[in-house]
């Protein structure tokens, strides 16, 4: 694995940062599509801000204030599901760009990987937005929440924590739930939307695998045992519950070890954070 060339902050981050700051979704997608490795140093050194460029809509609200989703047998229900997924993919574009800008000094392959992820997330967003328009609406028509970006801020200080908790927790959850959503769309007669989810599911395995790759690289660099480190970070930093069922085959393909999967399975339905009496025995 070749070492970073030194041009990262002066060139590559510049182009990624411009895309990160873009507010208009079409402009952001166009800028991400145009990124190439390596970029010219003429872009200028910069760092990503704490808030990505994003449109005024959708309105961001507390998750508990989001309307309940309707059955996928209705066009309204399918639109609500696809809108929520489009919002996730739009955030995922910014997360990948943020990883490029925020964490200097890593091997070139780290930035190449996250460039590829950003470009694939942009295509996912475009595909989902096409589905929203097919159903008579557009991205921004419904409210959304900012939980994914809040986790980005919580993990901004350390790439190891970011790799553990964003791709390997939040994005990995998509591997668990997407097959069932796809089947429900097929049952509702929406084969076109189901095919989009199949494409997204295939790519997302690779994105979670990128997180696994760099999580384990950073653990090795710091002399940390990765399975125990992953469990410890979830117990210390993740406030949600471990949800199941887990897509074990997909997670294995995305770089989860058997000890990690066994531990996650043992805590389904429970908060990730250990109770005091458990902390001494896990």
């Amino acid at each position: 694995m070749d070492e970073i060339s030194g041009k990262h902050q002066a060139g590559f981050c510049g182009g990624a940062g411009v895309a990160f700051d873009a507010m208009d979704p079409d402009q952001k997608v166009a800028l991400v599509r145009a990124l190439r490795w390596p970029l010219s140093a003429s872009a200028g050194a910069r760092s990503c801000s704490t808030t990505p460029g994003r449109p005024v809509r959708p309105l961001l609200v507390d998750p508990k204030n989001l309307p309940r989703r309707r059955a996928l047998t209705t066009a309204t229900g399918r639109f609500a599901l696809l809108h929520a997924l489009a919002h996730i993919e739009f955030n995922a574009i910014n997360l990948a760009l943020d990883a490029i800008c925020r964490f200097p000094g890593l091997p070139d392959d780290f930035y190449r990987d996250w460039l590829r992820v950003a470009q694939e997330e942009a295509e996912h967003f475009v595909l989902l937005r096409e589905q929203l328009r097919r159903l008579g609406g557009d991205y921004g028509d419904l409210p959304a929440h900012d939980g994914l970006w809040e986790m980005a801020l919580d993990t901004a200080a350390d790439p190891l924590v970011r790799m553990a908790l964003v791709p390997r927790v939040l994005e990995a959850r998509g591997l668990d739930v997407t097959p069932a959503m796809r089947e429900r769309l097929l049952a509702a007669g929406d084969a076109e939307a189901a095919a989009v989810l199949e494409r997204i599911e295939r790519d997302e395995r690779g994105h979670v695998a990128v997180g696994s790759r760099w999580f384990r690289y950073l653990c090795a660099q710091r002399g940390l045992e990765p399975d125990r480190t992953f469990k410890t970070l979830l117990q210390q930093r993740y406030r949600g519950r471990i949800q199941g069922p887990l897509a074990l085959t997909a997670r294995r393909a995305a770089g989860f070890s058997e000890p990690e999967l066994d531990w996650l399975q043992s805590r389904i339905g429970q908060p990730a954070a250990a109770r005091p009496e458990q902390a001494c025995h896990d």
Side-chain angles (χ1 to χ4, degrees), residues 18-138:
V18 172
F20 179 90
D21 288 338
M23 296 177 63
D24 179 73
D26 290 330
Q27 183 187 25
K28 188 181 293 285
V29 167
L31 288 168
V32 170
R33 283 172 166 170
L35 289 172
R36 295 292 183 271
W37 178 270
L39 290 186
S40 164
S42 63
R46 53 118 42 234
S47 295
C48 289
S49 65
T50 56
T51 303
R54 51 193 175 196
V56 174
R57 298 171 61 209
L59 177 67
L60 299 179
V61 300
D62 189 282
K64 65 176 177 287
N65 294 329
L66 290 172
R68 296 185 65 180
R69 296 203 194 136
R70 300 186 182 183
L72 297 189
T73 51
T74 69
T76 301
R78 293 196 297 279
F79 184 89
L81 171 67
L82 295 169
H83 190 278
L85 295 176
H87 184 63
I88 290 170
E89 297 298 333
F90 188 80
N91 271 293
I93 300 169
N94 289 323
L95 279 163
L97 296 172
D98 185 75
I100 292 165
C101 291
R102 191 159 309 281
F103 304 122
L106 291 165
D108 278 354
D109 281 353
F110 177 89
Y111 307 104
R112 290 192 188 101
D113 278 350
W114 287 106
L115 168 60
R116 175 177 59 81
V117 171
Q119 292 179 326
E120 290 179 354
E121 302 289 21
E123 298 311 314
H124 297 170
F125 174 75
V126 169
L127 290 169
L128 288 164
R129 195 175 188 191
E130 288 172 353
Q131 295 303 304
L132 295 176
R133 288 168 169 167
R134 176 175 66 86
L135 292 171
D138 202 352

Side-chain angles (χ1 to χ4, degrees), residues 265-281:
Q265 290 269 72
S266 74
R267 295 197 62 81
I268 286 176
Q270 302 178 52
R275 295 189 299 271
E277 66 272 18
Q278 289 178 313
C280 297
H281 303 292

Side-chain angles (χ1 to χ4, degrees), residues 140-208:
D141 287 353
L142 297 177
H145 68 81
D146 206 25
L148 193 56
W149 192 254
E150 288 170 1
M151 180 63 85
L153 295 178
D154 288 346
T155 59
D158 189 338
L160 187 150
V161 179
R162 170 71 64 85
M163 296 298 108
L165 298 185
V166 175
R168 304 192 85 233
V169 176
L170 300 186
E171 294 185 75
R173 183 61 186 150
L175 303 181
D176 304 329
V177 301
T178 301
M181 290 190 292
R182 180 163 41 84
E183 292 302 316
R184 290 170 61 204
L185 287 169
L186 285 172
D190 198 335
E192 188 172 332
V196 170
L197 264 62
E198 184 175 18
R199 153 75 186 274
I200 291 173
E201 180 186 0
R202 184 172 61 249
D203 289 347
E204 291 298 338
R205 289 191 189 191
H207 300 175
V208 178

